[in-house]
Amino acid sequence: MSVAINNLGYRNWEGRLGSPWLRWLTIAMVGIQIVFKSQWIKRLMFLAWGPAIGVGGIFFFYEQYVENRDTIQVGIASSPRSQKQFGEMLQLVSSSSQAEVISTAMSKPPNEARGYVWSFVLVSMLRVSQGWMVLVMIGLIAPSLIAKDIRSRAHLFYFSKPITRVDYLVGKFSIVAFFVGFVTLLPVLALYALGVLLSPDALDVIKSTWFLPFRVTVACLIYIVPCCLIGLALSSLTTESRFAGFAWFMVWILGFVGYNIVNNISALGNGMPADDSLWRIISLYDCLTFLQSWVMDLETNHAYAMKLLFFVLLLCLICYFTIMRKISTPLRA
Amino acid sequence: MENLIELESIEKYYGRNRVLDDVSVSFQPGVTGLLGPNGAGKSTLIKVILGLVRISSGTGNVMGLDLLESARAIRSLIGYMPEDDSYIAGLTGVELVRYAACLSGMSALEGLRRAHEILDFCDVKQERYRNVETYSTGMRQKTKVAQAIVADPPILILDEPTSGLDPEAREAMLNRVKYLSSKHGKTVIISTHILRDVQQICDHVVIMANGKMKMADRLENVHRPSTPNLFLTVKGDMDLFRKTLTRNGVDSKLDEDKLLQIITSDGALPMEVWDSATQSDVQVQSVVPAKNSLETVFREAVGEDVGGD
């Protein structure tokens, strides 16, 4: 038998092992490395930054508007008509019906209005990316993460090493969260930074909007955590990732369509949609975006938000226990 | 001799089904063959040692670490090679072994260096850069061993390491295992159906059946028959020779292979045998002490007909 010239035979290893608490990071990094091999994921990650650049222009126009209002006393910038037009422009990007609220907010002094307008723009940006980007991103990544492991019996590979089921779950979760965060949280934070940089008075802007990056982060987490857990839970239910992917898209699409049908029926009966209907929970998109608006202080119905939050937490717990149970089952076989 | 793994009165239930029934066993340095028919509880016993399933009752420790309280620490002492194909889709062989090293706590760079070193040792050449899904059975077995030993654990549990290998690869695999045990002091437990593998490299044998421990002993003791008989090959009139033996007070019987078995009390050949040979004019060509074959011992232990390899 020929022996490779670099074959040193078996040698004992004398090094020191790293902390057992960071093993999830290894799972996450290797998972990210595997997902990065997909060209589609790279394209999506690139595309996700498009809206951020577009919406960044809105900050620029808004700050120009504020600057003009302070310096030019007479002109379209200070007129109620221009405020309404700006509100309508935001409506275009946000597909929300809050143009009136925006124009009212804009009539206030800039330091009071800025927080609201910026929050509104950031949330609008999130909805643009979350509306389809997160749906597609998780639909491409999450279904295979656990399903493929179960199919290739990788659980024995993982759990014979000094890692726990929680490490495994946190690692897998981090893979999805990384990519989803990359197309949601990161562009929004970059957008905020861009907005500050494009503002004529950056210090004044930071003073009146310093809380926004934190709120945006929480708002994104409210979206990312349940979405990633649902994606992983669906993945853990099958060995065929295409079934998990199909289920993922169906959960969102049917939920969204179902809620809108219910809402329209309600609107036909009462003349307007019921904003505080618990039917919202059938559409995760509507449920989570409402909670985001609540976190960003754009919605003030706290009691209703708490009910939705309770539902989301319950859903997360169900997903968590489903995943834990499903990854334990093959070990007993 | 120091016991590296000690299990005491282990019971494990899956629902109402008792898969481990009062199992007490200890594993010592060297190579131990864990034998048993399908459903004997071998895999469950391995999972108990690895802390992958919780025991219903009993106690145990691995190198002094309690089975129930230190599952993670125990797993860092054990390298496990599963019987089933177990791989991460999308990774090459070297990436998989590096991943195993990193999951055991090595840094990424050190893990990569070590992965190459171990793959060299396991005779995985350029195939290491191919995706593991494309590997042949033999290549997968080598990669599975590599991922088990990459972190240099003191204990190795290998589940059917030679399954699906051609004779040459099987021989190389067994040599590798023996080398790790004899030269690097690894304690190796091999779960297998192939008795010949056990015969070839094991120092100890543990036999299980129906969730119970049937036998645990050194291989040399297993081979030793309960009565130290001798086998004779003779040339001449066998019937006359046997009659003469009986007349001279020596018990004998003829086995299926026409070997004459002399039943003795101390393993020594009685002088009467030589006298009988002279009297009946036969030539004694060979005298071999009787040994229990592992297959016979295994069959007796599990109490049913099973096919050995």
Side-chain angles (χ1 to χ4, degrees):
Chain A
M1 188 175 72
S2 63
V3 177
I5 198 162
N6 57 337
N7 187 354
L8 303 167
Y10 187 88
R11 294 192 300 173
N12 290 99
W13 189 72
E14 304 290 346
R16 272 187 66 186
L17 297 175
S19 165
W21 306 109
L22 289 175
R23 304 289 156 85
W24 64 269
L25 198 58
T26 303
I27 297 174
M29 287 172 72
V30 170
I32 288 168
Q33 179 195 334
I34 294 173
V35 173
F36 250 124
K37 290 179 181 171
S38 161
Q39 290 299 324
W40 280 106
I41 297 295
K42 285 180 194 160
R43 284 177 195 138
L44 273 177
M45 290 172 80
F46 179 74
L47 277 177
W49 289 77
I53 295 163
V55 178
I58 295 176
F59 284 128
F60 175 73
F61 286 122
Y62 174 72
E63 290 304 325
Q64 288 299 320
Y65 156 77
V66 169
E67 188 78 3
N68 288 342
R69 194 172 73 164
D70 291 342
T71 52
I72 305 165
Q73 293 301 312
V74 182
I76 57 165
S78 59
S79 71
R81 187 163 155 259
S82 70
Q83 290 161 6
K84 190 158 187 283
Q85 280 172 342
F86 194 82
E88 283 167 357
M89 187 171 82
L90 291 181
Q91 188 183 353
L92 275 177
V93 296
S94 67
S95 66
S96 151
S97 57
Q98 289 186 303
E100 287 297 324
V101 184
I102 290 288
S103 57
T104 310
M106 284 173 64
S107 63
K108 294 177 184 171
N111 281 346
E112 286 179 37
R114 185 179 281 124
Y116 188 86
V117 173
W118 277 52
S119 296
F120 187 81
V121 174
L122 291 177
V123 166
S124 304
M125 163 69 198
L126 274 178
R127 286 189 186 164
V128 168
S129 58
Q130 285 167 355
W132 59 277
M133 190 69 80
V134 173
L135 180 74
V136 177
M137 191 64 104
I138 296 185
L140 287 176
I141 298 169
S144 63
L145 285 181
I146 298 179
K148 268 190 179 176
D149 280 351
I150 296 174
R151 193 171 60 208
S152 63
R153 299 184 186 95
H155 50 276
L156 284 172
F157 172 84
Y158 281 110
F159 298 120
S160 61
K161 306 284 178 296
I163 64 161
T164 62
R165 288 180 303 164
V166 174
D167 290 331
Y168 176 82
L169 176 56
V170 173
K172 294 287 176 182
F173 176 87
S174 304
I175 298 168
V176 196
F178 170 81
F179 287 100
V180 176
F182 193 91
V183 298
T184 54
L185 180 60
L186 219 55
V188 172
L189 290 177
L191 176 62
Y192 173 81
L194 187 70
V196 170
L197 290 174
L198 290 175
S199 301
D201 188 355
L203 274 180
D204 195 37
V205 169
I206 290 171
K207 234 189 305 182
S208 54
T209 61
W210 61 269
F211 53 88
L212 282 179
F214 301 102
R215 281 194 180 169
V216 158
T217 305
V218 175
C220 278
L221 287 178
I222 277 188
Y223 204 91
I224 290 171
V225 173
C227 289
C228 294
L229 282 174
I230 292 167
L232 291 176
L234 292 172
S235 176
S236 72
L237 292 173
T238 174
T239 56
E240 291 287 341
S241 49
R242 61 205 160 117
F243 295 155
F246 180 75
W248 164 258
F249 287 112
M250 283 301 106
V251 164
W252 287 86
I253 293 167
L254 293 180
F256 184 77
V257 171
Y259 174 64
N260 278 289
I261 290 171
V262 171
N263 223 11
N264 286 336
I265 292 169
S266 169
L268 285 173
N270 305 330
M272 59 182 297
D275 282 342
D276 57 354
S277 164
L278 279 180
W279 282 108
R280 194 187 288 267
I281 62 174
I282 64 173
S283 169
L284 282 166
Y285 174 75
D286 287 285
C287 183
L288 295 174
T289 49
F290 181 91
L291 284 173
Q292 284 187 316
S293 298
W294 176 66
V295 167
M296 297 297 287
D297 212 17
L298 297 172
E299 295 285 355
T300 52
N301 190 344
H302 300 306
Y304 181 57
M306 291 311 286
K307 284 181 196 167
L308 294 184
L309 196 60
F310 174 75
F311 164 74
V312 171
L313 283 175
L314 189 67
L315 189 68
C316 288
L317 279 175
I318 292 170
C319 290
Y320 173 80
F321 286 114
T322 304
I323 298 166
M324 292 304 256
R325 188 175 165 74
K326 285 292 172 183
I327 58 178
S328 305
T329 306
L331 296 176
R332 290 198 291 267
Chain B
M1 196 177 279
E2 185 195 3
N3 292 330
L4 288 173
I5 301 173
E6 286 179 320
L7 304 176
E8 188 66 42
S9 306
I10 300 287
E11 292 201 332
K12 174 65 190 170
Y13 287 84
Y14 285 138
R16 288 184 173 183
N17 186 21
R18 185 158 58 181
V19 287
L20 290 181
D21 183 0
D22 195 23
V23 171
S24 297
V25 66
S26 55
F27 294 92
Q28 288 136 8
V31 185
T32 302
L34 180 57
L35 295 170
N38 290 331
K42 303 187 300 286
S43 296
T44 307
L45 186 73
I46 291 171
K47 285 173 185 171
V48 163
I49 294 170
L50 286 166
L52 298 179
V53 293
R54 289 190 78 83
I55 50 178
S56 307
S57 67
T59 56
N61 72 76
V62 177
M63 293 179 81
L65 295 169
D66 187 81
L67 217 52
L68 292 173
E69 290 168 5
S70 312
R72 186 199 277 247
I74 286 173
R75 285 201 291 271
S76 66
L77 299 172
I78 299 175
Y80 174 58
M81 173 197 176
E83 178 189 2
D84 299 319
D85 277 342
S86 177
Y87 57 87
I88 313 294
L91 291 184
T92 62
V94 68
E95 285 171 342
L96 183 83
V97 179
R98 182 185 68 165
Y99 193 18
C102 293
L103 285 176
S104 299
M106 284 188 196
S107 67
L109 190 63
E110 181 59 13
L112 183 62
R113 189 199 66 76
R114 179 77 179 163
H116 280 292
E117 189 177 300
I118 293 299
L119 285 168
D120 285 339
F121 172 70
C122 291
D123 199 28
V124 180
K125 298 193 172 76
Q126 295 305 307
E127 305 88 351
R128 71 184 67 178
Y129 299 109
R130 267 182 20 217
N131 267 18
V132 282
E133 296 106 298
T134 66
Y135 279 8
S136 63
T137 308
M139 202 53 67
R140 284 186 186 184
Q141 292 293 84
K142 288 178 185 176
T143 313
K144 282 196 289 180
V145 170
Q147 63 82 28
I149 63 177
V150 69
D152 192 29
I155 300 171
L156 295 174
I157 300 180
L158 312 176
D159 205 345
E160 301 284 358
T162 56
S163 165
L165 297 182
D166 60 52
E168 194 183 340
R170 173 184 163 275
E171 198 66 29
M173 178 70 82
L174 292 176
N175 287 342
R176 217 169 273 135
V177 172
K178 191 69 187 167
Y179 174 79
L180 286 171
S181 171
S182 60
K183 302 287 180 194
H184 292 273
K186 306 287 177 204
T187 296
V188 186
I189 300 171
I190 295 183
S191 171
T192 183
H193 291 101
I194 306 173
L195 301 180
R196 206 171 53 194
D197 290 355
V198 175
Q199 197 103 36
Q200 194 169 333
I201 63 164
C202 289
D203 306 307
H204 308 90
V205 181
V206 171
I207 300 178
M208 292 183 73
N210 296 322
K212 292 180 181 164
M213 189 57 58
K214 295 291 184 180
M215 172 186 274
D217 207 342
R218 290 189 64 81
L219 192 63
E220 62 204 41
N221 296 341
V222 170
H223 281 313
R224 195 175 297 144
S226 52
T227 50
N229 297 341
L230 297 164
F231 283 106
L232 266 62
T233 317
V234 296
K235 187 179 176 187
D237 189 342
M238 182 67 82
D239 290 336
L240 177 63
F241 182 49
R242 285 195 66 196
K243 280 177 190 162
T244 314
L245 281 171
T246 310
R247 207 168 46 235
N248 290 337
V250 178
D251 288 335
S252 68
K253 61 181 178 183
L254 202 59
D255 77 358
E256 296 160 358
D257 299 329
K258 302 284 180 196
L259 286 172
L260 188 65
Q261 192 176 355
I262 303 293
I263 298 158
T264 69
S265 57
D266 56 359
L269 191 65
M271 276 309 291
E272 288 82 358
V273 173
W274 300 115
D275 296 341
S276 304
T278 310
Q279 288 162 19
S280 50
D281 197 24
V282 298
Q283 186 183 1
V284 177
Q285 292 183 316
S286 69
V287 180
V288 179
K291 276 173 81 177
N292 276 346
S293 80
L294 191 55
E295 189 177 335
T296 311
V297 174
F298 181 66
R299 284 184 181 184
E300 282 172 4
V302 301
E304 60 185 7
D305 284 336
V306 284
D309 186 62

